[in-house]
Amino acid sequence: QVQLVESGGGLVQPGGSLRLSCVASGSIFNIDRMVWYRQAPGKEREFVAGWSGGNTYYADSVKGRFTVSRDVAKKTVYLQMNSLKPEDTAVYYCNAEISDRLGLRNDYWGQGTQVTVSS
């Protein structure tokens, strides 16, 4: 079994910063992709940022403000969020594609962490 656990969410004022973490644990041979999504109330879940194949990717709405990084040894991906805006308010989810020792790939989701940007 594989688990993804996010942390780091909270309440922050506009212009502030937060760093989210997502830790993968369990039967992991290789992590092929780790991606952050978010879902605001009444809206569909949307891509935020992630890494895959050694590259990082960002939604246009967060470019220049958010930075994704990873610690391979800790099986962790981070999302550094700066210059936060009220429209960044959402539940942030971690998604990962993980291979087991048989080479089988599966898609996993974390439980989400709330980010609220408000004065």
Side-chain angles (χ1 to χ4, degrees), residues 1 7 10-11 19 26-27 39 50-51 56 75 84 109 111:
Q1 291 284 26
S7 61
L11 173 64
R19 190 176 81 153
S27 180
Q39 188 167 19
W51 68 261
T56 55
K75 298 184 177 63
L84 282 162
W109 289 89
Q111 82 288 351

Side-chain angles (χ1 to χ4, degrees), residues 26-81:
S27 180
I28 298 170
F29 181 74
N30 190 55
I31 300 176
D32 304 304
R33 179 190 75 234
M34 291 187 88
V35 182
W36 289 97
Y37 288 82
R38 66 186 180 188
Q39 188 167 19
K43 294 187 176 181
E44 293 188 353
R45 192 170 296 188
E46 64 176 2
F47 166 77
V48 177
W51 68 261
S52 175
N55 298 309
T56 55
Y57 303 90
Y58 298 92
D60 288 343
S61 59
V62 307
K63 278 181 183 176
R65 300 188 298 121
F66 290 11
T67 303
V68 65
S69 61
R70 63 174 176 139
D71 185 323
V72 176
K74 294 183 178 179
K75 298 184 177 63
T76 300
V77 65
Y78 304 97
L79 184 66
Q80 177 67 44
M81 305 187 295

Side-chain angles (χ1 to χ4, degrees), residues 98-112:
I98 294 174
S99 303
D100 62 20
R101 291 188 176 276
L102 298 177
L104 298 176
R105 292 182 177 179
N106 285 293
D107 201 61
Y108 299 92
W109 289 89
Q111 82 288 351

